[in-house]
Amino acid sequence: MPIDDESQDAVFRALADPTRRRILDLLFARDGQTLTELETVFDMTRFGVMKHLRVLADADLVITRKEGRTTRHFLNAVPIRLVHDRWIDKFTEQRVAALTSAGAG
């Protein structure tokens, strides 16, 4: 399943910020956290954390689910995997090593 340019750009923009990467790390460690749980980690306002979550949600990296009065945030790693497959996998060690040794001769 390829990732379109607009979605890909949204993922790169979301991952460019260290706070958003930290939120993804926190959700990777313990998925389904609330805004209250996430905001305790950061030295910023609740609104600031909400803005970062919105960028992550717009990039489909975070999915929110209402459970009664509680909203939980879940990591969606699929967009990261799609970017990996498109941009990183083709530069794996084996391929880069082959290119490096071909140029060294």
Side-chain angles (χ1 to χ4, degrees), residues 26-78:
L26 293 168
L27 294 176
F28 179 80
R30 189 171 62 82
D31 220 5
Q33 293 188 56
T34 65
L35 174 60
T36 301
E37 292 169 320
L38 290 169
E39 75 177 307
T40 61
V41 176
F42 299 99
D43 186 26
M44 67 176 63
T45 66
R46 180 177 185 87
F47 184 69
V49 176
M50 287 172 56
K51 286 173 64 174
H52 284 293
L53 283 168
R54 171 55 46 210
V55 172
L56 291 167
D58 289 346
D60 292 326
L61 293 168
V62 169
I63 297 169
T64 58
R65 187 178 340 155
K66 293 277 284 178
E67 295 176 358
R69 296 179 64 194
T70 303
T71 301
R72 298 200 173 274
H73 305 279
F74 296 88
L75 172 65
N76 177 22
V78 172

Side-chain angles (χ1 to χ4, degrees), residues 73-90:
H73 305 279
F74 296 88
L75 172 65
N76 177 22
V78 172
I80 294 172
R81 181 56 194 234
L82 293 172
V83 165
H84 171 272
D85 291 349
R86 168 66 178 91
W87 287 103
I88 298 167
D89 193 43
K90 69 181 174 184

